[in-house]
């Protein structure tokens, strides 16, 4: 049975969730992929990440009973913009082979243990990971292979980590590699899922904040005289320098704190004091 001939159903359907988690844009449309296959992947990814952000237990039907899943933290990327400490839930199942050490027998045992087999084991793991909110505008589809018996594709993007009520929600970069096989009931199921999480790159950081500026920011900027814009920029520069002086953070991290607090100085100071111990040493002035 061809992959494009059956109906997709992942988890529970919530008609009220209207945000588009992935748009079918030309930048991720690979020339080697027929339109119907590409559209099917787009729809599958939309529903998968909608379910991942809102109801991970519902992903049980997305995985094949024989699925293999692995999680890897990339903590040494040279492109990282800034580092936020990963939660313990990530470290426990981190299958970064560069981080495994010790006796060869222990190394082999650990490598095997950190592979998760079957959909129950896989979903049990991902439900224990921190909450997420993926940014659909950051998604990039790549490395696609398809046949009548299999589809394999990779996806990169950015997500916010933590609950919507958290004061600080680190931005993470992710890479997902999916291998899917036909399923007679729900179009296709995932037989292999490799999940890599990193801190975001400088490019992703700038792109994210450009795309997620509040709507009134652009309108206000276009309606005010250039002198007013210059005054706002000067005020932000002053706030960054003052925050750096008082917190001992470097200028980049000071700007980052103020960005997250929407340039509310007192709120940024409260956030800094609350999360000070989780900020890496290199963020502070020598």
């Amino acid at each position: 049975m061809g992959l494009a001939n059956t109906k997709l159903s992942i988890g529970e359907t919530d008609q009220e969730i209207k945000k588009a988690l992935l748009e079918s844009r030309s930048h991720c449309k690979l020339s080697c992929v027929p339109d119907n296959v590409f559209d099917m992947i787009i729809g599958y990814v939309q529903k998968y990440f909608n379910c991942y952000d809102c109801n991970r237990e519902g992903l049980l039907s997305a995985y094949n009973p024989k699925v293999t899943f692995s999680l890897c933290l990339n903590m040494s990327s040279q492109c990282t913009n800034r580092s936020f400490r990963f939660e313990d839930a990530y470290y426990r199942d981190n299958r970064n082979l560069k981080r495994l050490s010790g006796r060869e027998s222990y190394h082999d045992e650990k490598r095997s243990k950190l592979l998760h087999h079957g959909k129950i084991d896989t979903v049990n793991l991902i439900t224990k990971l921190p909450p997420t909110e993926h940014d659909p505008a950051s998604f990039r589809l790549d490395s696609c292979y398809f046949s009548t018996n299999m589809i394999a594709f990779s996806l990169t993007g950015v997500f916010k980590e933590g609950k919507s009520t958290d004061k600080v929600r680190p931005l993470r970069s992710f890479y997902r590699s999916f291998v899917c096989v036909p399923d007679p009931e729900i179009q296709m199921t995932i037989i292999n899922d490799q999940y890599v999480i990193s801190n975001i790159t400088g490019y992703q950081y700038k792109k994210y904040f450009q795309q997620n500026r509040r709507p009134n920011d652009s309108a206000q900027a276009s309606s005010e005289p250039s002198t007013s814009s210059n005054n706002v920029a000067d005020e932000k520069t002053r706030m960054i320098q003052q925050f750096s002086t008082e917190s001992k953070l470097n200028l980049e991290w000071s700007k980052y704190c103020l960005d997250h607090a929407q340039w509310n100085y007192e709120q940024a100071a409260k956030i800094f004091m609350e999360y000070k111990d989780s900020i890496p040493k290199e963020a502070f002035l020598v």
Side-chain angles (χ1 to χ4, degrees), residues 24-35 38-39 42 141:
S24 179
R25 294 180 177 178
S26 59
H27 62 240
C28 61
K29 186 166 184 176
L30 306 182
S31 59
C32 62
V33 182
D35 288 346
F38 177 78
D39 292 340
I42 294 297
L141 179 66

Side-chain angles (χ1 to χ4, degrees), residues 4 10 22 46 65 74-75 106 117 149 152 154 178 181 214 229:
I10 298 179
L22 181 66
Q46 282 179 318
N74 177 15
M75 296 175 286
Y106 172 79
H117 301 281
N149 298 316
S154 62
F178 295 107
V181 294
R214 289 172 294 177
S229 299

Side-chain angles (χ1 to χ4, degrees), residues 3-18:
L3 285 172
N5 297 329
T6 53
K7 186 178 179 181
L8 174 63
S9 174
I10 298 179
E12 299 177 0
T13 301
D14 187 345
Q15 298 298 335
E16 295 182 359
I17 301 174
K18 296 181 179 180

Side-chain angles (χ1 to χ4, degrees), residues 70-83:
S70 65
L71 170 69
C72 176
L73 300 183
N74 177 15
M75 296 175 286
S76 58
S77 172
Q78 309 229 338
C79 298
T80 296
N81 180 60
R82 51 175 52 78
S83 300

Side-chain angles (χ1 to χ4, degrees), residues 94-158:
N94 177 21
R95 197 174 182 268
N96 186 333
L97 301 184
K98 293 178 66 175
R99 296 273 172 171
L100 297 180
S101 59
R103 303 186 311 274
E104 185 175 350
S105 58
Y106 172 79
H107 189 280
D108 292 341
E109 179 183 353
K110 193 72 172 175
R111 288 176 62 181
S112 177
K113 184 179 180 180
L114 291 174
L115 280 176
H116 294 267
H117 301 281
K119 61 181 182 179
I120 294 178
D121 188 26
T122 297
V123 175
N124 183 52
L125 169 61
I126 64 177
T127 54
K128 294 178 181 178
L129 299 178
T132 56
E133 180 185 345
H134 287 79
D135 175 28
S138 71
F139 284 11
R140 297 294 182 269
L141 179 66
D142 199 6
S143 304
C144 181
Y145 170 83
F146 73 97
S147 69
T148 56
N149 298 316
M150 182 182 74
I151 284 182
F153 60 93
S154 62
L155 191 79
T156 61
V158 171

